[in-house]
Amino acid sequence: MTARQTRVGIIGAGPAGLALALLLERAGIESVVLERHTREYVENRIRAGILEYEVAELLRANGVGARMDREGFRHAGTNLLFDGALHHIDFAALTGKHVMLYSQHEVVRDLIAARLAQGGEIRFGAEVAEIAAIGGPRPVLHWREAGGERALACEIVAACDGFHGVGRAALAGALTGAMDAGALDAGGMESFDRAYPFAWLGILAAVPPAKEELVYASHAEGFALLSMRSATVSRLYLQCAPDELLSAWPDGRIWEALARRLAHPGFTLPTGPILQKSVTPMRSFVSEPMQAGRLFLAGDAAHIVPPTGAKGLNAAVADAAVLARALVRALRDGDERGLAGYSATCLDRIWKIERFSWWMTAMMHRFADHSAFDRRMQHAELEYYTSSLAGRTALAENYVGLPLYGEEG
Ligand code: RFL
Ligand code: PHB
């Protein structure tokens, strides 16, 4: 089989892969995106909703912010609710920044449209089965499409293929291979994992948002989150058991639980038709390093956060931004230093994001094994982070997003 050639082979048309393809395109570097699902599937996958300040700015600066600015919502703050009282965190006053509420699938649609308008290539229904020759100068992607087997020879492979992709295992294999071959500086892959004893039951409902900004609620029955998608569609979540059966949650039970957990003076939760229900497990995961030879991981392929801090999509785009900058320096200017430091640069930021997401999750949820002391600690944290200026600033600074390129700026 003769392999096609490209400069950067990108696996996955999620936020990481599409953002990387866009940034490379803008710098005149050719790439091919291989995505196993159909375009319709990836454009309708309901996931995240919050874009960090710098992520939104990056989209604007690269010509994909117009619809976000027209149809998305600018949120200059958020709310924490506990003991039946609402506490506002004013991002604008505390940090001078805001976040954008704009659905992940809309970002994905905009990125796909921008790429295709520039004549860039995305192959849908193209499933990568193997990444070969990672340690050499030209790694090869073997993929299946329409029943046929194909190959793509690349200078670089970016595995932006999510948590269940092929990239992470290929990278682990390449590191082991290098160790077996006695490479002096080779080490293995290390994974860090934490599962939480609960999940989120999420609904999409044909109901106008009950508030202008999000409400993160800590309640004796468990966490709840009020979010939104548009002027007519709300997105709400409830803490539930990890093995929760949706059949145990008829619409009436969901609305009653949400109303109890989100109750505060002067607030009524409007109810209406539920369009979609799902259960999302909660997990923290990081695998190190994020590169081996000519293979680089970005986004969920290398790390997962629980959704409480609204960070997964943002972390994926941040990796893509760091990788694009390093690739432009390497492939256009011949300077490989950024590529050599890619994993370290990303992981420094990722661990801070992991910490924030873990901390928000620990502060806001009910843990069945908590002692009375643990519950008092949780309460003291909520009090501190909503009443102290330093506490509110720390929360706001992390929520609007840490610098995209790390300390390097
Ligand atoms: P993705 O989006 O999973 O994309 C990976 C793509 O790779 C494809 N793929 C392959 N293609 C070809 N060959 C193969 N062998 C392949 N294997 C996989 C897949 O089909 C897919 O299209 O990963 P990426 O780009 O790293 O993006 C990560 C984000 O999608 C994820 O972190 C966020 O959605 C997480 N998340 C949230 N993040 C936020 O920043 N803010 C939020 O408010 C937020 N809320 C959420 C969330 C995730 C949720 N779920 C369902 C997991 C809320 C929920 C409910
Ligand atoms: C969402 O709107 O889906 C959303 C918002 C904030 C989160 C998680 C999910 O922390």
Side-chain angles (χ1 to χ4, degrees), residues 276-293:
Q276 201 188 87
K277 294 180 200 173
S278 58
V279 174
T280 304
M282 310 277 279
R283 180 172 207 174
S284 299
F285 175 88
V286 180
S287 93
E288 294 182 350
M290 289 169 62
Q291 67 190 89

Side-chain angles (χ1 to χ4, degrees), residues 56-399:
E57 286 285 297
L58 181 85
L59 296 177
R60 284 187 193 105
N62 287 283
V64 279
R67 206 161 66 88
M68 170 184 75
D69 284 328
R70 244 186 358 259
E71 297 174 17
F73 297 85
R74 188 185 158 118
H75 283 197
T78 198
N79 299 288
L80 262 54
L81 172 63
F82 60 97
D83 298 341
L86 203 62
H87 301 261
H88 188 240
I89 309 291
D90 187 339
F91 300 151
L94 294 162
T95 67
K97 294 178 182 164
H98 58 268
V99 295
M100 291 299 294
L101 188 129
Y102 187 59
S103 292
Q104 175 169 332
H105 71 278
E106 303 291 3
V107 176
V108 163
R109 284 177 193 183
D110 294 347
L111 289 168
I112 291 174
R115 173 143 181 98
L116 298 180
Q118 297 292 319
E121 189 173 1
I122 309 177
R123 304 197 70 87
F124 293 100
E127 174 156 24
V128 173
E130 194 199 345
I131 311 170
I134 293 166
R138 279 194 94 66
V140 180
L141 294 178
H142 293 276
W143 89 91
R144 295 189 203 100
E145 189 182 329
E149 311 249 329
R150 316 211 186 166
L152 181 66
C154 317
E155 287 172 50
I156 296 284
V157 170
C160 306
D161 52 351
F163 190 64
H164 302 288
V166 291
R168 198 170 57 254
L171 195 133
L175 289 169
T176 309
M179 280 198 298
D180 291 348
L184 277 179
D185 56 350
M189 180 182 267
E190 197 172 357
S191 295
F192 304 84
D193 202 356
R194 188 193 210 291
Y196 297 86
F198 40 73
W200 281 11
L201 192 164
I203 64 164
L204 200 63
V207 178
K211 281 266 184 211
E212 283 189 5
E213 291 171 350
L214 273 57
V215 179
Y216 288 86
S218 162
H219 187 274
E221 278 182 33
F223 171 79
L225 170 61
L226 184 157
S227 181
M228 56 215 73
R229 284 295 178 267
S230 70
T232 53
V233 176
S234 292
R235 179 91 167 129
L236 297 116
Y237 298 94
L238 277 173
Q239 178 182 347
C240 64
D243 54 355
E244 197 77 56
L245 292 177
L246 281 176
S247 55
W249 288 87
D251 295 7
R253 184 179 172 205
I254 293 178
W255 285 121
E256 283 159 24
L258 284 168
R260 282 194 303 275
R261 297 186 195 185
L262 291 166
H264 57 280
F267 176 79
T268 356
L269 181 68
T271 63
I274 294 181
L275 309 171
Q276 201 188 87
K277 294 180 200 173
S278 58
V279 174
T280 304
M282 310 277 279
R283 180 172 207 174
S284 299
F285 175 88
V286 180
S287 93
E288 294 182 350
M290 289 169 62
Q291 67 190 89
R294 309 305 277 174
L295 172 64
F296 296 80
L297 303 185
D300 277 16
H303 42 75
I304 297 281
V305 286
T308 326
K311 290 292 166 218
L313 156 68
N314 293 296
V317 175
D319 287 354
V322 173
L323 185 53
R325 181 185 270 199
L327 283 173
V328 172
R329 285 181 185 163
L331 298 179
R332 200 180 59 189
D333 312 330
D335 176 356
E336 294 252 344
R337 281 174 300 175
L339 269 191
Y342 168 74
S343 177
T345 303
C346 289
L347 286 168
D348 179 64
R349 190 175 186 279
I350 285 303
W351 277 113
K352 291 173 186 153
I353 289 170
E354 291 286 342
R355 184 206 68 82
F356 177 67
S357 305
W358 158 84
W359 167 76
M360 278 281 279
T361 303
M363 181 167 74
M364 300 303 302
H365 289 74
R366 276 274 121 177
F367 289 76
D369 63 350
H370 263 183
S371 66
F373 179 84
D374 295 330
R375 281 197 290 276
R376 283 284 198 275
M377 286 297 99
Q378 220 178 15
H379 191 262
E381 284 221 289
L382 284 164
E383 282 286 351
Y384 173 71
Y385 282 97
T386 52
S387 63
S388 140
L389 177 62
R392 287 200 307 276
T393 308
L395 198 161
E397 177 186 43
N398 282 278
Y399 198 96

Side-chain angles (χ1 to χ4, degrees), residues 2-6 30 32 34 121 123 138 143 151-154:
T2 43
R4 276 187 55 188
Q5 317 262 330
T6 190
E30 188 223 351
V32 173
L34 302 175
E121 189 173 1
R123 304 197 70 87
R138 279 194 94 66
W143 89 91
L152 181 66
C154 317

